[in-house]
Amino acid sequence: MSTQTVDTRVRQRDAPPSVIARLRRAGSDDTPQQWHRGMTLIATISLFIGTRAAWTQAMLIHPPVAGVISVCYAGILVCAVLALAVRGRRALVRVDAAVLVLAVALVICGYWLDHAGTDEGVLTAQAASEILHGRPVYGQPWPWLFGTPKSGLTKTMSGGADLTYGYPPLTALLAAPVHAVLHSTAAATAVTTGALIAGAVTLWLLLPVPWRSAATAVCLGFGFLPNYARAGYPAIVALALLVPVVVRWPATGAGGRLGRSGVLRAVCLGAACAAQQLAWFLLPFLLIGLYAVRRGELGARPATALLARFTGVAALTWAAINAYFAAQNFTTWWEGLLLPLTQKAILHGQGLMGISYYFTDGSSRLDYYSHASMLLIAGLLTATVLFVRRLGAALTVLPWLAFYLATRSQDGYYLMMTPLWLAAAATVPASSLASAWEPRITRIPRLSGRSARTAVVAALVAPALLCAGIAAASPPPLDMTLTAHLTGGARPAITSVRVRAVNTTDTALTPHFASRLGHSASNWWTITAGPTTIAPHSTAVYVVRPKGGRRALPTSQDQHMYLIAVTGTPMTITTASLGNATDPD
């Protein structure tokens, strides 16, 4: 025994009893882990994000709400102190719960201030109204819903726009009774905001105690998910339903029995697929992982039977929710569900398609981005089968990689499901996948078994990268020369553009024109002169006018305006700058 240890014990023996008690508590198992304190503190700090803007808005239109937000500020400060000062685990859990309550209060305040919704919320509210009145939901255009700036219009590459409901029906069904009371878009945004809060609380309860405040931060604190909920995105309902499915998913069907827990997970999975299409992309990855874990435990036949029961319950749930709408008109219902995949919406997002949309003059093979996305999904599914012990914990992230190659690759597709990433990180350790079944591949000469599987996956992913490369490297289909006519005045505006377009491809093209300033395109311009179709290797002259008769030029020299010409079949885009194409009237 060292002299230092003896001296420490002597000092403790001679210390007052209260000091000895504190020393014992400090060294006991009841002391919170330091990273738990850090997680609580991060969640507390995350509540500041967006709170000032909400308070400023509330002071203008709803001062009582501003008062509630001011009280929440005090709560945030107190929780930050307590997160670093409390000494017991139970006390820190109470602080975690207080942070969750504050987050919920701020989300409700945000909803109270802004619940008008965007195009998703407006469409869902209209669908709820149609359900209440017994009218068809799918295949019905509702152009009057898109008259406000917040109600964004999804334009299609064929020169039209998506004016119909293109989501599974669950969110509209949930919004219908609320719409009977509120009679506005607030009914849809109330459902999605309530679903987000319910999902956050569910995740908080299901996670291990030190991880709980991370659920508060990811679901409610950073601000991006509450924004999507206030906009009325049906994906938020799907997210909330997927939380109990993903938490500890390798335990589903353990021992060969689904039990109540497994049946509940299957019901939630089916309901999530009936809420929004993003759940469809997670489904095959989850089923692959579940089969591999159960086969490693039970063998092939029992695992197959278990997976069939699980999938059957999910499918019956999905069918029950959709039955009424399918019976109304099967064709329009089915086309409505597939609309986001088949509509050929105009390019948008932060993914690889930005090469063709933002950084080059266009591409004559945009379809190859879609091919690349589908091929990447196939490659990732194969990789999950072959390396489930390694990739199983990441199967809540893998599906969204494919969206990076798609023509619609906006960040919402990635971040709206991020709470599921947290659920997997906290509840799916590597040990839960250690005995999962992985198929053997016949050995390739000079390659080990693992290297052979890696080679197979690389061979499956390579076509996706090749297709993306073809799309990005292809030249634009049209060679456009522009002459823009301007109005005078304090702020000049374009009134029309003369376009000389040369079709350099072997395919007849039907172009549609719009302007782009920044990341998104304007409404379609009107073609006042010029042919509908340009024959292969021929030249056509168009005169196009912006909607409303004028398009204001940028006020800053750092901003650049472009004219784009797109076609739907095949999907192509050509971009030309309007900066040096002016001809003042």
Side-chain angles (χ1 to χ4, degrees):
M1 184 180 298
S2 66
T3 304
Q4 182 179 2
T5 304
V6 172
D7 292 342
T8 300
R9 290 186 174 181
V10 170
R11 287 196 300 270
Q12 291 181 1
R13 183 187 60 193
D14 296 337
S18 59
V19 175
I20 295 175
R22 286 199 299 270
L23 291 172
R24 287 176 178 174
R25 285 197 300 270
S28 69
D29 293 336
D30 188 54
T31 304
Q33 296 169 301
Q34 196 65 18
W35 71 273
H36 183 184
R37 293 185 187 275
M39 198 76 74
T40 305
L41 189 63
I42 290 172
T44 305
I45 294 171
S46 74
L47 301 186
F48 282 122
I49 299 175
T51 304
R52 180 181 179 184
W55 179 86
T56 303
Q57 182 184 4
M59 285 302 300
L60 289 173
I61 57 177
H62 291 294
V65 176
V68 174
I69 295 175
S70 294
V71 173
C72 289
Y73 265 108
I76 292 171
L77 297 173
V78 171
C79 286
V81 172
L82 294 176
L84 299 175
V86 297
R87 294 177 176 175
R89 291 186 180 180
R90 291 184 179 179
L92 190 54
V93 170
R94 295 189 187 99
V95 177
D96 290 333
V99 175
L100 177 64
V101 170
L102 286 172
V104 170
L106 288 171
V107 168
I108 293 173
C109 288
Y111 170 79
W112 189 270
L113 295 171
D114 181 13
H115 47 258
T118 57
D119 50 338
E120 286 81 2
V122 170
L123 283 167
T124 301
Q126 183 65 34
S129 176
E130 300 300 298
I131 292 171
L132 287 173
H133 292 88
R135 294 191 289 260
V137 169
Y138 293 98
Q140 309 300 311
W142 301 320
W144 63 87
L145 298 179
F146 302 94
T148 63
K150 292 194 67 174
S151 300
L153 189 64
T154 301
K155 295 175 286 294
T156 61
M157 298 289 283
S158 60
D162 176 16
L163 304 173
T164 62
Y165 191 67
Y167 303 104
L170 179 58
T171 308
L173 283 170
L174 295 175
V178 184
H179 195 278
V181 177
L182 296 181
H183 306 296
S184 70
T185 307
T189 56
V191 167
T192 50
T193 301
L196 178 63
I197 293 172
V201 173
T202 301
L203 184 58
W204 193 92
L205 294 172
L206 294 178
L207 288 185
V209 170
W211 288 85
R212 286 178 171 176
S213 279
T216 302
V218 172
C219 292
L220 306 177
F222 292 129
F224 46 80
L225 287 183
N227 286 337
Y228 280 104
R230 289 194 296 272
Y233 276 67
I236 297 297
V237 176
L239 164 67
L241 290 165
L242 287 171
V243 166
V245 179
V246 168
V247 171
R248 299 182 183 86
W249 66 261
T252 304
R257 294 181 64 257
L258 272 182
R260 293 182 180 178
S261 174
V263 171
L264 178 61
R265 291 172 189 261
V267 169
C268 288
L269 179 61
C273 291
Q276 215 267 353
Q277 291 89 341
L278 284 180
W280 299 1
F281 292 88
L282 178 63
L283 175 65
F285 289 90
L286 187 66
L287 295 181
I288 286 171
L290 182 58
Y291 174 77
V293 171
R294 293 286 75 85
R295 179 168 176 175
E297 176 194 12
L298 306 171
R301 292 184 65 181
T304 302
L306 178 73
L307 190 69
R309 294 197 300 273
F310 181 82
T311 307
V313 173
L316 286 174
T317 303
W318 179 86
I321 295 171
N322 284 274
Y324 170 75
F325 305 93
Q328 278 187 322
N329 189 318
F330 183 87
T331 301
T332 57
W333 162 76
W334 184 244
E335 290 175 350
L337 294 191
L338 296 181
L339 186 62
L341 306 178
T342 62
Q343 67 187 171
K344 293 188 176 182
I346 195 168
L347 305 181
H348 188 267
Q350 298 81 23
L352 207 60
M353 62 87 216
I355 295 175
S356 301
Y357 194 25
Y358 304 123
F359 302 114
T360 68
D361 293 334
S363 172
S364 58
R365 293 183 172 88
L366 292 179
D367 289 301
Y368 277 79
Y369 284 121
S370 298
H371 302 335
S373 182
M374 293 297 101
L375 287 170
L376 185 57
I377 280 282
L380 293 173
L381 286 170
T382 303
T384 304
V385 171
L386 298 178
F387 299 101
V388 68
R389 296 174 189 173
R390 178 66 61 87
L391 296 179
L395 62 76
T396 56
V397 184
L398 289 173
W400 323 122
L401 293 176
F403 284 93
Y404 194 77
L405 303 185
T407 54
R408 297 284 287 188
S409 58
Q410 56 201 29
D411 55 0
Y413 297 141
Y414 318 135
L415 61 86
M416 276 195 285
M417 295 294 161
T418 47
L420 303 182
W421 307 4
L422 174 66
T427 66
V428 186
S431 58
S432 66
L433 304 168
S435 60
W437 171 78
E438 292 182 347
R440 294 182 180 181
I441 295 179
T442 303
R443 181 168 296 182
I444 300 175
R446 297 184 180 181
L447 291 178
S448 64
R450 181 172 292 275
S451 298
R453 287 182 290 169
T454 304
V456 170
V457 172
L460 289 169
V461 173
L465 300 179
L466 177 62
C467 285
I470 291 173
S474 295
L478 300 177
D479 183 5
M480 297 197 306
T481 303
L482 310 182
T483 304
H485 298 277
L486 307 180
T487 61
R491 186 176 180 185
I494 295 176
T495 56
S496 67
V497 176
R498 182 181 181 273
V499 183
R500 183 180 183 275
V502 180
N503 183 355
T504 62
T505 71
D506 298 325
T507 305
L509 299 176
T510 303
H512 307 278
F513 298 90
S515 60
R516 177 174 68 80
L517 179 63
H519 71 280
S520 61
S522 69
N523 291 323
W524 296 118
W525 288 31
T526 303
I527 299 175
T528 59
T532 301
T533 301
I534 311 177
H537 303 288
S538 65
T539 301
V541 176
Y542 293 90
V543 176
V544 295
R545 295 183 181 276
K547 184 176 181 179
R550 64 193 309 274
R551 175 72 167 167
L553 290 173
T555 56
S556 171
Q557 293 182 351
D558 296 329
Q559 296 177 335
H560 304 282
M561 182 181 291
Y562 302 91
L563 186 76
I564 62 172
V566 304
T567 63
T569 305
M571 284 182 64
T572 72
I573 187 169
T574 304
T575 303
S577 175
L578 285 165
N580 299 317
T582 58
D583 181 18
D585 289 341

